[in-house]
Amino acid sequence: MARTKEFDPDAALQSALELFWQRGYEATSMADLVEHLGIGRASIYATFGNKHELYLKALDRYAENRDPVLLTELSAPGPALPAVRGVVRRFAAESMADGSRLAGCFVTNTAAELASHDSTAARRVELSWQYIETLLHSALIRAQAQGELPASRDPRGLARMLLVFLQGVRVVGKASGEPGRVRDAAEQILTLLD
């Protein structure tokens, strides 16, 4: 008879996500995971695979939790440009918030730590960025169609600029204790949408 799991895999995955997000991949050992999750090494391997597989599952969980919020914001009916501005301001505010400032964005952290030498992690980062870029691009096309954005503007180029800015703001917000730097940069980037 098979033994039943004595832990909640969903809660364990969330706990692993939080640890990896706080410490990063390399600085988190299996011993750290065992201690933080409160489950045995064999149970971790049996449920999630090795540390790398667990990390990727945590990264997927992060995207699953974050992406619907962005979709809701950028695809809401009505004027599109205020939604885009709202997203930029939210990212800037979150990057400077006490609780999330030092953690940064899990996808951005993964890009900085692993993407250059881990093709699987790099692919997940790229998928996340493509998703954000597509949402921004769609919102900007809608803004242009509704007369909010001049016809001379390039929605694809603007979406890419905003994606790069949003990822950069996560890095600067994580490393800088100067909230004015991020806030002022966000307001300046928004002038390019006028």
Side-chain angles (χ1 to χ4, degrees), residues 122-143:
R123 180 71 184 134
R124 280 176 166 80
V125 167
E126 183 59 33
L127 287 172
S128 176
W129 288 349
Q130 284 174 358
Y131 180 77
I132 294 169
E133 182 182 318
T134 298
L135 290 177
L136 289 166
H137 183 224
S138 296
L140 291 167
I141 286 173
R142 211 170 80 239

Side-chain angles (χ1 to χ4, degrees), residues 85 88-96 162 165 168-169 172-173 176-194:
R85 286 188 175 100
V88 170
R89 288 183 176 121
R90 179 176 62 80
F91 268 63
E94 285 177 358
S95 74
M96 296 308 300
L162 289 172
F165 173 78
V169 95
V172 172
S176 174
E178 172 52 49
R181 179 177 291 134
V182 170
R183 186 179 52 249
D184 292 348
E187 292 306 315
Q188 285 303 304
I189 203 103
L190 291 176
T191 65
L192 300 175
L193 299 177
D194 295 332

